[in-house]
Amino acid sequence: MSPSSKLTTLLKQSLPLARASQARPALASRLYSSKPEDNVEVNIPMIRKMEKICRNYIDQLDQPGGKQFNIQNFMMMYIFGSTTNTAYRTRLFDHWPTYLEDFNECKAIMGYRYPETLVEEFLTQNIPKDAKILDMACGPGNVAFILKDHAYTNIDGLDPSKGLLEAAMEKGLYKQTFCCYVTPDIPTPIADNTYDVLLCSAGMFPGSITPQAFTELIRVVKQGGVIAWNIADGYEGFNDFFTTYDEIYKQLIKDGKWEEIQPVKKLDNMLFDDAGYTYMMRKL
């Protein structure tokens, strides 16, 4: 079996829903819509992280100078994330224009280091300051906010939340934005070979970007361009879509679609005590 046939077979096995037009509603319902209440599966580790954030919040309130934060929105975000309720999670973001400010205010109690560690790895590549960058699954612009301090300003953002994108544009973080999901079966409205760099901070998880959509990341980046992302440890257990994550990633290397710029890096304490992995790839 040729490498390209192997990838096609792998994608079909891991994503049995065909790319035919009638498959879109089924795929959307599995990945991006809320589930009936009696069908909800709860991610217990994420609930435990919520509990730890709440404890940290109460602990800092007990200290002299303790501050009131917009913690309730973060709790809703985690609740919807723990139940893969992407529809309501996105609607929450649409009504949360101060996400970036709130995040920076209560960063100390969140134990969350994905945006800054991704930017740190990106900076090691010494990419020209005028590089055209796509911040994928950008949310309120955490990555772009940090990049601006390093004189990178030619940045576009992509996220399914219209509210977060509008807030980021008001802050001048992006040149333009794309309000859409990144799915395996429908291309984003971005032309082929558009970007020098694609960055995605913690954007790969159930209800967001799955490994079956790696080919879409490759499509929108120029030949020789950089594709970098990070993901939480234990990703292979996220859901059925992630069981073939490593196989798809490695098959794309075998097929000559991309190559590792550096070995995959494991970093500790990315979210409290949890580790995460950073990938740095070059499109071939």
Side-chain angles (χ1 to χ4, degrees):
M1 183 181 294
S2 68
S4 58
S5 298
K6 169 77 176 200
L7 179 62
T8 302
T9 301
L10 183 58
L11 289 174
K12 285 182 178 179
Q13 289 173 342
S14 60
L15 186 59
L17 302 167
R19 293 181 184 238
S21 58
Q22 68 267 27
R24 174 65 179 176
L27 178 61
S29 67
R30 291 183 65 187
L31 285 177
Y32 305 108
S33 298
S34 57
K35 301 176 182 179
E37 289 185 10
D38 58 353
N39 249 349
V40 169
E41 296 178 6
V42 178
N43 184 310
I44 298 302
M46 191 172 287
I47 296 296
R48 291 188 179 126
K49 291 179 179 65
M50 289 169 52
E51 193 268 346
K52 187 166 186 177
I53 291 171
C54 290
R55 282 192 282 113
N56 287 349
Y57 179 56
I58 298 301
D59 287 344
Q60 70 86 27
L61 283 178
D62 287 343
Q63 300 300 315
K67 292 184 178 180
Q68 295 280 346
F69 295 140
N70 188 8
I71 195 71
Q72 68 271 17
N73 278 9
F74 287 106
M75 291 303 96
M76 284 192 283
M77 178 184 76
Y78 270 91
I79 289 169
F80 293 141
S82 70
T83 56
T84 320
N85 192 334
T86 306
Y88 269 85
R89 190 170 180 267
T90 301
R91 287 170 63 184
L92 167 66
F93 290 147
D94 286 342
H95 296 283
W96 193 3
T98 60
Y99 179 107
L100 185 59
E101 293 85 348
D102 292 340
F103 176 82
N104 287 328
E105 275 279 311
C106 61
K107 188 176 178 180
I109 68 169
M110 296 290 287
Y112 186 80
R113 300 196 309 124
Y114 281 92
E116 57 262 45
T117 53
L118 182 62
V119 172
E120 287 168 6
E121 292 300 316
F122 163 75
L123 291 175
T124 66
Q125 301 304 306
N126 297 313
I127 291 171
K129 301 297 184 182
D130 61 351
K132 190 174 180 63
I133 300 172
L134 177 63
D135 185 3
M136 181 172 280
C138 64
N142 301 66
V143 168
F145 182 78
I146 301 171
L147 285 174
K148 284 190 74 173
D149 287 341
H150 298 277
Y152 288 98
T153 58
N154 190 14
I155 311 171
D156 294 341
L158 182 151
D159 197 85
S161 170
K162 183 173 180 288
L164 290 184
L165 292 176
E166 288 175 349
M169 286 295 283
E170 288 177 4
K171 297 177 180 69
L173 295 177
Y174 299 115
K175 297 286 188 182
Q176 66 174 330
T177 57
F178 303 92
C179 188
C180 61
Y181 288 103
V182 180
T183 70
D185 53 346
I186 300 294
T188 62
I190 300 171
D192 295 354
N193 308 308
T194 296
Y195 292 97
D196 301 301
V197 177
L198 185 153
L199 300 176
C200 180
S201 172
M204 295 184 188
F205 58 88
S208 186
I209 303 170
T210 64
Q212 290 76 19
F214 278 153
T215 51
E216 178 63 9
L217 278 62
I218 294 171
R219 182 186 70 80
V220 303
V221 172
K222 300 174 184 176
Q223 186 175 8
V226 172
I227 303 170
W229 72 93
N230 48 27
I231 189 170
D233 191 14
Y235 55 80
E236 67 278 358
F238 282 174
N239 68 8
D240 290 346
F241 290 97
F242 282 83
T243 58
T244 52
Y245 175 102
D246 287 326
E247 289 181 79
I248 296 172
Y249 165 76
K250 292 175 181 177
Q251 188 62 46
L252 287 166
I253 294 176
K254 292 178 183 177
D255 286 356
K257 302 299 183 182
W258 61 15
E259 65 179 0
E260 291 182 346
I261 296 174
Q262 62 186 35
V264 178
K265 182 178 288 189
K266 184 176 182 179
L267 297 172
D268 293 327
N269 306 118
M270 294 290 280
L271 178 60
F272 296 123
D273 298 330
D274 292 354
Y277 296 92
T278 300
Y279 293 74
M280 188 75 64
M281 310 299 294
R282 178 177 291 108
K283 177 178 175 178
L284 299 177

